[in-house]
Amino acid sequence: MTGRGIGGEIAVRLGRAAALSLAAGTIGGAAVLAGEAIAARSRRYAEPELGLALRATVGRAAAVPLRLVLLGDASALGVGVDRFDDTLGGQLAHLLAEGPTGRRVHLSSVGVSGSRSTDLATQVARALLGERPDVAVILVGANDATTLRRPAESAAYLAAAVRRLREARAQVVVGTCPDLGAVRAIAAPLRQVVSWSGRRIARAQTAAALEAGGTVVDLGTETGPVFRADAGTLCHDGYHPSADGYRVWAHALLPAVAAAANASSRH
């Protein structure tokens, strides 16, 4: 996720959101949406920590190696935390290294804060440089949702990325758009608009990723209730996950990523 998705384009795209104000009432509903978009744009959001390692190795030297790459938006970089061990990638790597299989995880990230599904093609090219990854985890969709992109269009770009990675013999796990109704940085009724948009994106992502040969983890369904109940799962900006939030996501993704790692080792 990233605040830039809200801060940049959602105000421009409020023409679509204004149509949704029928659910809230009249022109007054559109005015409230516009006001909330301006407020969201003016907030200060967490930025990527340049000191965080985008490449790291975790696990015993004698363990079976696993090349794990993260693609997508700010979530793939760990925006919102300042320690590698607190990032989503760091927590996943430690879980895989300490689990029953005890893998030696060579972790890298090609994610870029603010990315949408249209940016995945460039990231796939970067992910496939050098040694092929065994498992690729794609985390994207929040910025598509907050800028009100068409779900079918976003899903098509995601599917293309999954196919390219699968053709390169990498296992692919997609974490769908998270529950944007849980964020505190956006007030109602705009929060309901982006939440609705996020659910549409997630549904389209699920169908497209499965058809392209990927595995899907519905982050909204599996972790949304936790994020809604506990404000501590978000960092200081009320939008990006905190260390606890990334931990929740890591445990939700772990079964699929571990299964993908096992499948990769058999090929």
Side-chain angles (χ1 to χ4, degrees):
M1 289 195 264
T2 179
R4 295 177 187 175
I6 300 171
E9 298 186 42
I10 196 167
V12 177
R13 292 176 171 269
L14 273 173
R16 295 184 192 177
L20 296 174
S21 67
L22 291 174
T26 59
I27 296 175
V32 171
L33 287 172
E36 292 302 336
I38 293 170
R41 185 170 63 177
S42 66
R43 290 180 66 95
R44 295 188 64 180
Y45 294 92
E47 296 288 341
E49 288 285 342
L50 298 181
L52 284 179
L54 301 182
R55 292 183 179 274
T57 298
V58 177
R60 295 180 297 104
V64 177
L66 173 70
R67 290 180 292 277
L68 174 66
V69 63
L70 272 58
L71 302 87
D73 55 29
S75 303
L77 293 176
V79 172
V81 299
D82 55 12
R83 296 174 61 249
F84 167 76
D85 288 348
D86 291 335
T87 65
L88 176 60
Q91 297 199 53
L92 263 178
H94 280 289
L95 288 170
L96 291 165
E98 297 162 4
T101 56
R103 304 298 290 267
R104 182 168 174 81
V105 182
H106 301 284
L107 173 72
S108 64
S109 173
V110 295
V112 178
S113 182
S115 290
R116 298 190 293 260
S117 299
T118 53
D119 301 306
L120 288 175
T122 301
Q123 294 187 24
V124 170
R126 291 173 57 202
L128 295 178
L129 285 174
E131 289 190 276
R132 148 187 91 78
D134 298 306
V135 179
V137 177
I138 302 178
L139 302 157
V140 76
N143 297 312
D144 296 83
T146 57
T147 53
L148 304 179
R149 300 287 170 174
R150 288 180 294 181
E153 178 183 359
S154 297
Y157 283 106
L158 173 63
V162 173
R163 288 192 190 96
R164 285 176 60 194
L165 289 163
R166 294 292 291 128
E167 287 168 359
R169 295 179 293 111
Q171 300 293 318
V172 183
V173 177
V174 174
T176 61
C177 180
D179 180 9
L180 296 176
V183 302
R184 272 70 171 179
I186 313 173
L190 185 58
R191 186 190 302 166
Q192 281 70 32
V193 173
V194 297
S195 177
W196 167 82
S197 179
R199 290 193 299 272
R200 295 179 70 220
I201 292 288
R203 286 195 295 270
Q205 287 179 318
T206 297
L210 290 174
E211 185 177 353
T215 300
V216 174
V217 177
D218 186 341
L219 289 179
T221 298
E222 293 199 22
T223 70
V226 179
F227 276 77
R228 286 179 181 247
D230 182 7
T233 53
L234 298 174
C235 76
H236 64 86
D237 66 8
Y239 188 79
H240 296 94
S242 64
D244 287 340
Y246 282 128
R247 186 172 300 110
V248 171
W249 280 2
H251 281 278
L253 289 163
L254 179 62
V257 175
N262 290 336
S264 178
S265 65
R266 293 194 295 268
H267 292 81

